[in-house]
Amino acid sequence: MKRFFIILASVFILAMVTVPTYAAVTDQQKAEIDALNQQIVDLQKQIVDKYAEAGEISKAQADASKANIDQAEQYRQQYTQQNGAVAPVPGYGPGTGYGRGYCGGWGANAGGYYGGCW
């Protein structure tokens, strides 16, 4: 029985040491993630431009929304630098940022999908 607990403890310690190694994000993966996030930012701005082009929002509202998108991207970059690339970024998970709908949100995450309420 004592041998069983020693083996179990060894396996547990080994698992605790190896899991962070596999969870580490490589520099190439970080670059790919940053490129994908930049594509998201560009697409969000294109969508805002299309709304302005269609007359759904004014030029001033589009500019404010795009400024909010830029500010959110800057925050994402700072947050991941401070907390690591694998840290969850506020606004990218369920119940925050994306998916709150038109002008949805509260507190620091107010603004919904496109970075502001027009």
Side-chain angles (χ1 to χ4, degrees), residues 2-104:
K2 185 176 179 181
R3 177 184 268 180
F4 174 74
F5 285 117
I6 291 173
I7 292 172
L8 184 63
S10 299
V11 169
F12 179 73
I13 291 170
L14 183 62
M16 294 298 289
V17 172
T18 58
V19 169
T21 303
Y22 290 116
V25 177
T26 66
D27 289 337
Q28 180 182 357
Q29 290 170 327
K30 288 177 189 176
E32 290 172 3
I33 290 169
D34 286 339
L36 289 171
N37 276 308
Q38 187 58 49
Q39 288 178 1
I40 290 170
V41 167
D42 294 341
L43 288 172
Q44 287 175 332
K45 288 181 180 181
Q46 287 177 16
I47 291 169
V48 169
D49 287 338
K50 289 294 180 182
Y51 275 118
E53 188 178 302
E56 292 291 319
I57 59 174
S58 69
K59 172 95 169 89
Q61 290 168 324
D63 292 341
S65 292
K66 290 193 288 187
N68 285 341
I69 291 168
D70 288 335
Q71 185 178 14
E73 175 59 14
Q74 180 182 11
Y75 174 76
R76 184 201 63 79
Q77 290 173 356
Q78 289 174 351
Y79 187 89
T80 55
Q81 286 174 355
Q82 293 171 356
N83 299 299
V86 294
V89 178
Y92 280 88
T96 59
Y98 295 116
R100 291 232 187 195
Y102 185 75
C103 300

